[in-house]
Amino acid sequence: ELKEEFTRILKANNPYAPQNIVRYSFKKRAYKPINYVDQMAIHFSMNGNMILKDSDEGRRQSIKLSTTAAEKAPVETSAVTSEEAEIKDEDSTGDTQAAGEEEGEGSGTAEVAEAVEAVEAVEAEEPAPPRVKEQKLANRFNFIESASRTVNRPMQESACQTDPTPRKDFSATPTQWEIYDAYVEELQKIAMSKMKAKPKAQIAETEDKNKGRKLTPLESQSDDLPTFSDTAKVLERMVDQSGFDDIAQDFKYFEDASDEYRDQQGTLLPLWKFQADKTKRLAVTDISWNPKHKDLFAAGYGSYDFTKQGQGMLLVYTMKNPSFPEYIFSSESGIMCLDFHNDYPYLVAVGFYDGNVAIYNLNKATSQRSHKSSPKSGKHTEPVWQVKWQKDDIENNVNFFSISSDGRIVSWTLVKSGLVHTDIIKLSVEGTTTEGPEGLQLQNPGCGTSFDFHKEIDYLFLVGTEEGKIYKCSKFYSRQFLDVFEAHHMPVDSIRWNPYHMKVFISCSSDWTVKIWDHTIKTPMFIYNLNSAVGDVAWSPYSSTVFAAVTTDGKAHVFDLNINKYEALCTQLVVGKKKYKPTCIQFNPVYPVVIIGDERGHVTSLKLSPNLRKMPKVRR
């Protein structure tokens, strides 16, 4: 048994190397196994600093060192060599003369003298090169290239304000501190001088000459220089999209295949949920998509409860980063409505619960509003329920309209001095009067809740009131209505013109109904009872027959009149708890997505299934 031999075969494969590694193939859209696995195992590794003398690098360095040493040889060596040559020349001359005088003494002696003379002459003409001391080879790998290093800014002890235990940099001398502070102070002076040299008014005038139009005061405040915060936002979006990769894939590629078996019914696929810690106790009062950046939307936060009024918030989110808002603005009063400008997408008009209106500029770095109304400038006395931007006036000044519970519909124009107001219409309740001083009969003011302007006729707009009536109004008549619709029995919560049929508009109310109207007919064309108070309604941007509504029981309803004129194609619960009801809904102008805000401060995005976004057939 001791003499028995056991054969063992040693292979180069690493027994600990994994054999089941797979990687995702973007070409085939599937995971594929990797055939080649690295079998090399490094047990010991150490970087050396020696160079082989016979190698190419060693020869190159030795030649370079010898040439540099020869070039730097002292001048004294050459001087001494020349003196020795002259002495040898004189000696050789004397020897030659002596040899001539003694020529007759013998031929052997003469031959020896001639040989010595020839050798000395050669030595004098060709002096021996000086010996160079051999130097050690330098280590070419142990160095730091200055171009590859980053700037190490010194951290002063007084500048470390965010560090609770400040540490002083002992490598920097007081002279370095003085130089650094002097440079920083000089840069600040240069920046201040540039700002004083080009005031905002001068910038606005130069841009006016270039573009041939008058600019608003807010346009001169824009700054397109990239900052560190912009870079950080891009990195944050990249990290966030990696974390929500499954939702991003659903948003881009998922299509509900079960729609083929649902008999024209559809579903809403939940995507991202936008929420912030600062808005937990506030309700989402209004939502508006940005007209330029289709993934960007603004959400206003406030409270509908009179006893819980406090601060408000304006947050601007993007679908590229649902975890954190792009912009955050706070206000003293709750925000009730907002609207993006179509031509200047960085301007946001906002209405507050205390009756004020304001304009926010997203291009400004500050978190405060750019312009705000005041009691002197004609603010509302009741909450502002809706604001809408209008086309620029004759002087190219931007302006917007607002409606409030005080019955006033006001036009606000932005000029250099601020916001200037003009009362367009004052609503009043018909058939109700109060006795004033000296027996005068005064009409009670009406309460406006919503309005919308016609897409083509600039002067025509609709107004919804708290009494349930809808007024067709004109900007040219301040005391007279074009028509009155006895629309609802409770307040009109929302009213919208159809984006394709210019005669059709839709309205919703707390009386559980959604009605579709033709503004030339006094009676509604369609009436839908949703069994709960309707908070908001919106037309789709891709079809003239699709609209959606949200009700206080937490449901979203999607209709398509081209498929079913009597029932909703989708009725889905979008808010889990009953005590938190949805407040507003908006369609994305490009993507098949709707966003819904609720009283918890959450904004939920949902994707429409294929049955809910069918394009109507074009009639020829």
Side-chain angles (χ1 to χ4, degrees), residues 301-313:
Y301 294 84
S303 177
Y304 292 105
D305 192 348
F306 175 77
T307 61
K308 296 181 180 180
Q309 290 302 316
Q311 292 186 349
M313 299 286 293

PDB file of all heavy atoms in Angstrom, residues 301-313:
ATOM      1  N   TYR A 301     -49.258  74.213  -2.671  1.00  0.00           N
ATOM      2  CA  TYR A 301     -49.667  73.577  -1.415  1.00  0.00           C
ATOM      3  C   TYR A 301     -50.283  74.619  -0.492  1.00  0.00           C
ATOM      4  O   TYR A 301     -49.748  75.722  -0.331  1.00  0.00           O
ATOM      5  CB  TYR A 301     -48.470  72.922  -0.719  1.00  0.00           C
ATOM      6  CG  TYR A 301     -47.892  71.742  -1.481  1.00  0.00           C
ATOM      7  CD1 TYR A 301     -46.977  71.935  -2.512  1.00  0.00           C
ATOM      8  CD2 TYR A 301     -48.271  70.438  -1.168  1.00  0.00           C
ATOM      9  CE1 TYR A 301     -46.445  70.867  -3.210  1.00  0.00           C
ATOM     10  CE2 TYR A 301     -47.752  69.362  -1.864  1.00  0.00           C
ATOM     11  CZ  TYR A 301     -46.844  69.585  -2.878  1.00  0.00           C
ATOM     12  OH  TYR A 301     -46.322  68.512  -3.583  1.00  0.00           O
ATOM     13  N   GLY A 302     -51.416  74.252   0.071  1.00  0.00           N
ATOM     14  CA  GLY A 302     -52.117  75.115   1.018  1.00  0.00           C
ATOM     15  C   GLY A 302     -53.125  74.293   1.794  1.00  0.00           C
ATOM     16  O   GLY A 302     -52.990  73.074   1.957  1.00  0.00           O
ATOM     17  N   SER A 303     -54.168  74.948   2.274  1.00  0.00           N
ATOM     18  CA  SER A 303     -55.211  74.273   3.042  1.00  0.00           C
ATOM     19  C   SER A 303     -56.560  74.893   2.711  1.00  0.00           C
ATOM     20  O   SER A 303     -56.682  76.124   2.614  1.00  0.00           O
ATOM     21  CB  SER A 303     -54.938  74.377   4.541  1.00  0.00           C
ATOM     22  OG  SER A 303     -55.984  73.779   5.283  1.00  0.00           O
ATOM     23  N   TYR A 304     -57.564  74.019   2.519  1.00  0.00           N
ATOM     24  CA  TYR A 304     -58.928  74.492   2.271  1.00  0.00           C
ATOM     25  C   TYR A 304     -59.681  74.773   3.565  1.00  0.00           C
ATOM     26  O   TYR A 304     -60.756  75.363   3.528  1.00  0.00           O
ATOM     27  CB  TYR A 304     -59.696  73.451   1.461  1.00  0.00           C
ATOM     28  CG  TYR A 304     -59.186  73.278   0.044  1.00  0.00           C
ATOM     29  CD1 TYR A 304     -58.440  72.170  -0.317  1.00  0.00           C
ATOM     30  CD2 TYR A 304     -59.463  74.221  -0.937  1.00  0.00           C
ATOM     31  CE1 TYR A 304     -57.973  71.998  -1.621  1.00  0.00           C
ATOM     32  CE2 TYR A 304     -59.001  74.073  -2.240  1.00  0.00           C
ATOM     33  CZ  TYR A 304     -58.264  72.961  -2.572  1.00  0.00           C
ATOM     34  OH  TYR A 304     -57.802  72.808  -3.849  1.00  0.00           O
ATOM     35  N   ASP A 305     -59.148  74.344   4.686  1.00  0.00           N
ATOM     36  CA  ASP A 305     -59.809  74.526   5.981  1.00  0.00           C
ATOM     37  C   ASP A 305     -59.494  75.921   6.512  1.00  0.00           C
ATOM     38  O   ASP A 305     -58.322  76.304   6.651  1.00  0.00           O
ATOM     39  CB  ASP A 305     -59.339  73.460   6.969  1.00  0.00           C
ATOM     40  CG  ASP A 305     -60.194  73.419   8.220  1.00  0.00           C
ATOM     41  OD1 ASP A 305     -61.000  74.349   8.419  1.00  0.00           O
ATOM     42  OD2 ASP A 305     -60.059  72.458   9.002  1.00  0.00           O
ATOM     43  N   PHE A 306     -60.562  76.673   6.826  1.00  0.00           N
ATOM     44  CA  PHE A 306     -60.371  78.040   7.313  1.00  0.00           C
ATOM     45  C   PHE A 306     -59.644  78.063   8.652  1.00  0.00           C
ATOM     46  O   PHE A 306     -58.885  78.996   8.945  1.00  0.00           O
ATOM     47  CB  PHE A 306     -61.738  78.730   7.433  1.00  0.00           C
ATOM     48  CG  PHE A 306     -61.668  80.101   8.037  1.00  0.00           C
ATOM     49  CD1 PHE A 306     -61.238  81.178   7.278  1.00  0.00           C
ATOM     50  CD2 PHE A 306     -62.022  80.321   9.358  1.00  0.00           C
ATOM     51  CE1 PHE A 306     -61.171  82.444   7.826  1.00  0.00           C
ATOM     52  CE2 PHE A 306     -61.963  81.577   9.916  1.00  0.00           C
ATOM     53  CZ  PHE A 306     -61.531  82.648   9.145  1.00  0.00           C
ATOM     54  N   THR A 307     -59.827  77.054   9.469  1.00  0.00           N
ATOM     55  CA  THR A 307     -59.219  77.032  10.806  1.00  0.00           C
ATOM     56  C   THR A 307     -57.776  76.542  10.797  1.00  0.00           C
ATOM     57  O   THR A 307     -57.111  76.600  11.829  1.00  0.00           O
ATOM     58  CB  THR A 307     -60.050  76.128  11.734  1.00  0.00           C
ATOM     59  OG1 THR A 307     -60.064  74.788  11.206  1.00  0.00           O
ATOM     60  CG2 THR A 307     -61.465  76.638  11.844  1.00  0.00           C
ATOM     61  N   LYS A 308     -57.281  76.050   9.665  1.00  0.00           N
ATOM     62  CA  LYS A 308     -55.914  75.507   9.615  1.00  0.00           C
ATOM     63  C   LYS A 308     -55.063  76.254   8.595  1.00  0.00           C
ATOM     64  O   LYS A 308     -54.285  75.664   7.857  1.00  0.00           O
ATOM     65  CB  LYS A 308     -55.956  74.019   9.246  1.00  0.00           C
ATOM     66  CG  LYS A 308     -56.652  73.154  10.284  1.00  0.00           C
ATOM     67  CD  LYS A 308     -56.641  71.697   9.861  1.00  0.00           C
ATOM     68  CE  LYS A 308     -57.331  70.822  10.891  1.00  0.00           C
ATOM     69  NZ  LYS A 308     -57.326  69.395  10.482  1.00  0.00           N
ATOM     70  N   GLN A 309     -55.219  77.561   8.555  1.00  0.00           N
ATOM     71  CA  GLN A 309     -54.441  78.349   7.618  1.00  0.00           C
ATOM     72  C   GLN A 309     -53.056  78.650   8.184  1.00  0.00           C
ATOM     73  O   GLN A 309     -52.902  78.892   9.380  1.00  0.00           O
ATOM     74  CB  GLN A 309     -55.166  79.652   7.280  1.00  0.00           C
ATOM     75  CG  GLN A 309     -56.397  79.443   6.440  1.00  0.00           C
ATOM     76  CD  GLN A 309     -56.093  78.731   5.139  1.00  0.00           C
ATOM     77  OE1 GLN A 309     -55.124  79.051   4.458  1.00  0.00           O
ATOM     78  NE2 GLN A 309     -56.921  77.758   4.790  1.00  0.00           N
ATOM     79  N   GLY A 310     -52.080  78.606   7.316  1.00  0.00           N
ATOM     80  CA  GLY A 310     -50.694  78.866   7.716  1.00  0.00           C
ATOM     81  C   GLY A 310     -49.845  79.113   6.487  1.00  0.00           C
ATOM     82  O   GLY A 310     -50.293  79.733   5.523  1.00  0.00           O
ATOM     83  N   GLN A 311     -48.644  78.629   6.526  1.00  0.00           N
ATOM     84  CA  GLN A 311     -47.730  78.824   5.417  1.00  0.00           C
ATOM     85  C   GLN A 311     -48.102  77.942   4.226  1.00  0.00           C
ATOM     86  O   GLN A 311     -48.768  76.919   4.372  1.00  0.00           O
ATOM     87  CB  GLN A 311     -46.291  78.524   5.854  1.00  0.00           C
ATOM     88  CG  GLN A 311     -45.727  79.511   6.858  1.00  0.00           C
ATOM     89  CD  GLN A 311     -44.262  79.250   7.148  1.00  0.00           C
ATOM     90  OE1 GLN A 311     -43.715  78.219   6.762  1.00  0.00           O
ATOM     91  NE2 GLN A 311     -43.627  80.179   7.832  1.00  0.00           N
ATOM     92  N   GLY A 312     -47.654  78.362   3.055  1.00  0.00           N
ATOM     93  CA  GLY A 312     -47.851  77.596   1.827  1.00  0.00           C
ATOM     94  C   GLY A 312     -46.516  77.262   1.182  1.00  0.00           C
ATOM     95  O   GLY A 312     -45.461  77.784   1.564  1.00  0.00           O
ATOM     96  N   MET A 313     -46.559  76.396   0.184  1.00  0.00           N
ATOM     97  CA  MET A 313     -45.347  75.955  -0.510  1.00  0.00           C
ATOM     98  C   MET A 313     -45.618  75.888  -2.009  1.00  0.00           C
ATOM     99  O   MET A 313     -46.731  75.574  -2.442  1.00  0.00           O
ATOM    100  CB  MET A 313     -44.885  74.583  -0.015  1.00  0.00           C
ATOM    101  CG  MET A 313     -44.533  74.520   1.463  1.00  0.00           C
ATOM    102  SD  MET A 313     -42.979  75.321   1.837  1.00  0.00           S
ATOM    103  CE  MET A 313     -41.840  74.233   1.000  1.00  0.00           C
TER     104      MET A 313
END
